[in-house]
Amino acid sequence: MDPTAEELIARLRRNPDDAAAYAALRAHYQRIGDWASLANLLEGWARRSPDHGGAAQAYFEAGELAWGALSDRARGTKLYESALERNPMHTEAGHRLQALLEEAGDVRRLAEHLEKRADAMARANAEPRDVAALHQQLGELFEHRFKRPDKAILHYRKAFELDGTLVSAIYAAREIYRAAGNIK
């Protein structure tokens, strides 16, 4: 380990709240391209931080490093999940986690992620339009991937109730009813 990192780590061990040491060590790792150490530093800081927004951003940045520079998709997935636990409205973490799950073909986990995120965002009083978009995606998953029109209709209906301009959701539900012979 180089002397600069050793000295800054020692400072952080003595006082974990030493913001100057944290910032200097972060800049040092970025400067020398030590992505693994930078990801560890960000994750450790996020775990300790009482600031939900800042912690979510740090988890997201660590996830980006794990997914990109370190090619560790499993760790990236966990870090994005941690970001969303701290701030369910962290859009980038939500999109990145969704992309990883889609890329892995893990449709069941993707549905769980979307349901959990929609619930968390609704509890956090997110924009109804954003929550509706998640329910629209869930409706599409249940209709096309799981072949569960009953659950698809529930999500399409919830999407339309949250955002009355989401005509595609009501149209999709109507087509499911029509295919089942329920014209009413």
Side-chain angles (χ1 to χ4, degrees):
M1 185 179 307
D2 66 86
T4 302
E6 279 184 33
E7 186 234 323
L8 293 169
I9 290 169
R11 280 177 55 188
L12 285 170
R13 283 191 179 128
R14 284 190 303 275
N15 178 11
D17 296 323
D18 185 343
Y22 168 77
L25 186 57
R26 181 177 176 165
H28 176 72
Y29 286 148
Q30 285 176 323
R31 188 172 38 258
I32 66 171
D34 187 348
W35 308 127
S37 295
L38 180 57
N40 291 337
L41 177 68
L42 290 165
E43 182 178 7
W45 181 86
R47 195 174 313 127
R48 293 187 73 260
S49 178
D51 172 20
H52 291 296
Q57 184 61 30
Y59 275 128
F60 172 73
E61 290 174 18
E64 291 290 276
L65 289 168
W67 185 48
L70 303 175
S71 298
D72 187 345
R73 294 192 184 301
R75 183 175 181 202
T77 298
K78 287 180 181 154
L79 290 164
Y80 296 134
E81 288 171 341
S82 295
L84 291 168
E85 285 171 11
R86 293 298 293 271
N87 178 6
M89 291 188 266
H90 196 290
T91 307
E92 293 138 325
H95 290 310
R96 188 67 80 200
L97 179 56
Q98 185 174 339
L100 280 172
L101 294 172
E102 286 173 349
E103 184 179 293
D106 194 344
V107 182
R108 183 152 319 278
R109 195 159 165 215
L110 174 61
E112 290 169 2
H113 158 67
L114 292 172
E115 286 178 329
K116 184 178 176 181
R117 186 150 183 245
D119 290 342
M121 287 178 67
R123 282 192 309 277
N125 295 319
E127 278 291 318
R129 178 177 302 138
D130 295 335
V131 180
L134 293 172
H135 283 289
Q136 170 81 24
Q137 289 178 308
L138 281 161
E140 292 167 359
L141 274 177
F142 280 105
E143 180 182 5
H144 301 293
R145 301 298 293 273
F146 295 121
K147 307 297 183 203
R148 291 286 312 271
D150 56 325
K151 288 196 86 164
I153 287 172
L154 292 174
H155 286 290
Y156 286 140
R157 177 173 281 152
K158 192 169 257 189
F160 187 73
E161 288 170 356
L162 288 166
D163 180 4
T165 65
L166 203 54
V167 177
S168 58
I170 198 69
Y171 179 78
R174 188 186 80 180
E175 289 303 307
I176 291 172
Y177 282 127
R178 177 186 264 167
N182 185 350
I183 304 301
K184 242 181 191 181

